[in-house]
Each structure stands twice: as structure tokens, then as C-alpha cells.
Amino acid sequence: MRIHVVQRGESLWGISQQYNIPINQIILINEIDNPDILVIGQALVIPDLMREYVIQPGDKLESIASRYGVTVRELAAANQIMNPSLIYAGQMLVLPYFPHVVRQGESLWSIASSYGIPLTQLLQATSILNPSLIYAGQTIRIPNIRPSIEVNAYATEFDEAGRQEVLRLGRNFTYLSSFMYSIREDGSLTELQDKPVLDAARLNGVAPLLTLTNFRNSEFNSDLAATILRSASIQETLIANVIQEIRDKKAGGINIDFEYVYPEDRENYNAFLRRMVESLHPLGYLVSTAVAPKTSADQKGILYEAHDYKAHGEIVDFVVVMTYEWGWAGGRPWAIAPINEVRKVLDYAVTEIHRDKIMMGIPLYGRDWKIPWQQGTFARTVSPKEAVQLAARYGASIQYNQTYQSPFFRYVDESDQEHEVWFEDARSIQAKYETVKEYGLRGVGYWVLGSPFPQNWPVLQSNFIIQK
């Protein structure tokens, strides 16, 4: 997979010729609605035909496997496909092997070393009985090896469109966290009609998680959290209700997202997490948390102080660090997840939490602000796909901030109002995945499904194998 940034005067046909790839492959993988309209600065995913294949309408996994001389099992395993019938036109498949033409003087050892793969895996892929008997001009198969990570995706839409999205994208997830089950002061939980979406997740081998929050009246409520965290008896009731809900929904565990917890409840929150783990682990259920993006243990503010990174890292199975919302709706225009700020959080997080428990938060959305920005105004949330459509509609060129590793642009609407838009694209998401590799993290957590970002999924697949 490569990333092409559209330059002035380029056409989709010309780009396809440049990369020697059929134009429909670029159209499908990027979900381009009008091939005649490109935006200067737009990032396009270009599949590598030697290593990847874009599913065409009418394709079956069996026919694709036969075309490339691999088994259906090999192709499914390379792409985390649990159900061969759940493939969709426009999705990218990573081929289990790619060809290498032996050059004069090369050995299997040197070839394996050049691709960074173990010699044993290369021998297994080539089925060569005598490693010394290779020759220049011979074509051998190289296994397409990628590091593995876990992926959590939060879901908030539980209608038929939400179910179809999980069916289509589920091979990219380890966990699906249904947002949200709000606690009540008596230890009961609000209801959520998420069963069809959770069933769709399981068809893709995804473990459903129930997201537990202190959300009430359209906001996270500090007093509600305090009521629960300061009462052992209410916690017992809550834990019993959580276990029953997990059983009813056939989920794999919970993700606890308590926000704006009073600083004085920090130890109460840690004790609550211990009680949850003591109750759920013996039943085989996972317990995870979501925490605010801190850069130090003593960071001030009600959003941060009760989130004890060290304690969470010791107690729960994994922690989703919410490394997004720098460019929040009520603030000034800014990148949603500027990579320089994300790295500051990770630099601190890895000192308190083991790397194999950290899930780095990634936004699947952008925002559109009116400028000049005024205090008290709020930005509109847009999907990455919608952001590019806005740029096309108003004739804007997309720029890229190297410090933040984030695309942005400005435009003037029909009422002469100026806007500034920050969003994610293939370049920014690749920078985030490189960060995950560099820090050796457990994986990533997406907020939130329901926001079309077609480039993310092939970039994810080209970088990682997703653990199931």
C-alpha cells in the first residue's frame, strides 16, 4: 500500500497510469463518489498489486484465493476473516505471500534478512528442500508478515446501519465496545438495544464489551460517580447487575469509562476497579478502562486527577488512553489528535502502565469550525470523507501540518462565513500506526464508528494483523 497526495492538475486516470493500477481499484478502495473530482492535497490509498487485492463486485474468497495460488484458509487468516461470506467490494485483502525474483548472488538467508523475516518462515513458504539450490531469475514466495495488535472500536449506533457497518468492518476489530450502559444511583444500569450489533460483531470473531459510564442528562456526572464509588453496598448491586447484563448479551467483559470523577474519589475508584476484577475475572470476563490523556501523575483538573495510570495498569486487563479531543468542539480550531501531543501522553503512560496494556486512542472524525473563532461557539463534527467532500464543494486545497501530522483546510461558505476544518487522512493515520509500533503498544482504540473513513481500514490492514 502506498499513499498518494493529489497535486494540481492531476486526474484519477493519470494517477492510475503512474502506479500502473486499474482506476477502478483506486475508486473502490477510497470510496470515491465522483472520479472526475479530486482535491489538491487529498490523500489517496494506492494498493500494491503484488501484495494486496481490492475486492471487486461479485468476488468470492474462493475465486480470489484460486487466482493467487493460495488456499482460502491462508487468505482468510492473513486478513482476519472469520466468515468467508462477509467480504465486501472495495475492501482490501493482504495477500499471504508476494513474489521475489532471485538476483545473482542472493541466498535464502540474505533474502529473509532483507525482508526482516525469520529464515524458517521463508523456508516454509517456499517449500524448497535444499536452501542452497536457488538460482538467479527464480521466483519464490515471500510471506507477508506484519506485527499483530488488538483493536477496540466504540459503537454508538445500534440501528440496521450500525449493524451493517459492524458486519462490514468487523474483521478489523478485536473488541467492540457498545456505548453506553449508564449507572444509576441504586446500582442499576440503563438499557441499550445493542444485541443485533453485538451479534454482528460475534460473526466476525469480535468480543463484545459493555461500556459502563457515569453519564446522566447528556453529560458525565461527578456526583453520580461519587455515589457509586463511596458505597460498597451499591457497588455490590452494580457488579451483580453488570454480570447479569454480560451474560444476557453474551459479552466478553466491560470497559469502564468514568469521567470527571472527583479527585478525592481517586482511591475509591481504584478500589472499585479491584472489586470488579475480583468478581469478573473468575467468570472469564475482561475488565478494561478508558482514561483521560495525562502527561504527568500530578496533572491538575477534574478530568485527570482521579485517573490513576499506575493503579489502572496494575488492576485491569488493558487501558484505552483517550489520545484525542485536543481540537474539541467548544475550543479553538486544532488537530483532533496532534501527534506531538499524543506522544507526550504516551511518554508518560509507558512509565506507569506496561506497554502491552496500552491501547492508543484514535479519532475517526474531524471538525469544522467557523472562524474567526469566538468563545462559546461550537464546531460541527464531520467524517474524514465528508471533510474531503467539503473541500471539493468549496474549491479548497488541503494542507498538511507536519508538527501535528494532520490535514486541514479553510473555505468560505455561501453566506461568506469562513471555516477551518481539521480531520484525519491516510497520512495522519499512518503516522499514528507508526507511533504504535515505535512504542510497542498493545493496540489502538477507535472513537467512534459511524463516521466514514474509507482510507483507515486498508492502512490498518497493511500495517498490522488484528488479533481475534
Side-chain angles (χ1 to χ4, degrees), residues 230-242:
R230 298 174 188 179
S231 171
S233 61
I234 296 177
Q235 287 178 38
E236 289 179 7
T237 301
L238 175 60
I239 291 171
N241 286 327
V242 166

Side-chain angles (χ1 to χ4, degrees), residues 418-434:
E418 191 173 5
H419 295 248
E420 184 168 318
V421 179
W422 290 84
F423 63 108
E424 301 290 335
D425 70 1
R427 293 168 293 181
S428 67
I429 211 70
Q430 179 64 42
K432 290 174 174 60
Y433 294 147
E434 293 295 343

Side-chain angles (χ1 to χ4, degrees), residues 219-235:
E219 64 181 5
F220 287 94
N221 190 288
S222 306
D223 292 329
L224 177 58
T227 298
I228 300 297
L229 297 178
R230 298 174 188 179
S231 171
S233 61
I234 296 177
Q235 287 178 38

Side-chain angles (χ1 to χ4, degrees), residues 6 40 45 99 207 254 344 372 446-447 449 451:
V6 176
I40 297 170
V45 171
I254 60 170
K344 291 176 187 176
Y446 294 124
W447 181 266
L449 297 184
S451 182

Side-chain angles (χ1 to χ4, degrees), residues 140 191 268-269 443 446 458 463:
I140 60 174
E191 296 181 359
N268 291 333
Y269 191 14
Y446 294 124
N463 278 276

Side-chain angles (χ1 to χ4, degrees), residues 85-336:
S85 66
L86 293 179
I87 63 171
Y88 298 84
Q91 289 183 331
M92 188 186 81
L93 297 178
V94 175
L95 302 176
Y97 311 99
F98 59 89
H100 174 85
V101 179
V102 178
R103 296 186 291 269
Q104 191 69 39
E106 283 188 321
S107 66
L108 284 181
W109 180 88
S110 67
I111 294 170
S113 179
S114 68
Y115 286 110
I117 61 174
L119 179 59
T120 53
Q121 292 194 23
L122 181 57
L123 288 171
Q124 185 178 7
T126 58
S127 300
I128 294 175
L129 298 178
N130 188 339
S132 64
L133 295 180
I134 66 169
Y135 53 87
Q138 180 183 4
T139 299
I140 60 174
R141 299 198 310 177
I142 308 296
N144 210 338
I145 297 175
R146 295 152 289 156
S148 63
I149 61 168
E150 290 188 351
V151 173
N152 177 65
Y154 287 100
T156 59
E157 297 182 4
F158 302 102
D159 56 7
E160 179 59 19
R163 189 183 79 88
Q164 289 295 332
E165 183 178 31
V166 171
L167 284 175
R168 187 175 70 256
L169 298 177
R171 69 186 180 97
N172 299 294
F173 311 144
T174 311
Y175 313 105
L176 182 82
S177 294
S178 54
F179 192 92
M180 58 188 166
Y181 289 81
S182 297
I183 58 174
R184 296 192 182 102
E185 290 179 339
D186 61 357
S188 62
L189 298 171
T190 58
E191 296 181 359
L192 188 62
Q193 302 303 317
D194 55 355
K195 188 176 183 300
V197 171
L198 301 189
D199 289 343
R202 279 186 287 269
L203 288 174
N204 276 293
V206 179
L209 303 178
L210 311 182
T211 305
L212 199 66
T213 75
N214 60 316
F215 206 80
R216 185 171 65 183
N217 297 330
S218 302
E219 64 181 5
F220 287 94
N221 190 288
S222 306
D223 292 329
L224 177 58
T227 298
I228 300 297
L229 297 178
R230 298 174 188 179
S231 171
S233 61
I234 296 177
Q235 287 178 38
E236 289 179 7
T237 301
L238 175 60
I239 291 171
N241 286 327
V242 166
I243 291 171
Q244 187 59 53
E245 194 70 34
I246 291 174
R247 287 172 172 162
D248 290 346
K249 296 296 176 68
K250 299 178 181 178
I254 60 170
N255 178 255
I256 302 174
D257 181 15
F258 282 11
E259 301 187 29
Y260 294 93
V261 177
Y262 288 126
E264 56 266 34
D265 282 321
R266 177 186 176 108
E267 291 305 322
N268 291 333
Y269 191 14
N270 293 340
F272 170 67
L273 295 177
R274 292 188 182 95
R275 291 190 185 100
M276 272 291 186
V277 168
E278 289 168 0
S279 300
L280 269 61
H281 272 187
L283 301 175
Y285 299 135
L286 294 169
V287 179
S288 60
T289 57
V291 297
K294 298 175 65 168
T295 56
S296 67
D298 58 357
Q299 187 165 343
K300 300 302 181 184
I302 194 171
L303 181 63
Y304 308 102
E305 292 179 60
H307 285 180
D308 185 338
Y309 273 35
K310 184 176 178 61
H312 285 232
E314 292 172 350
I315 298 167
V316 303
D317 296 294
F318 65 84
V319 179
V320 178
V321 183
M322 295 184 285
T323 40
Y324 39 75
E325 285 293 280
W326 276 268
W328 67 289
R332 296 179 181 276
W334 195 8
I336 310 300

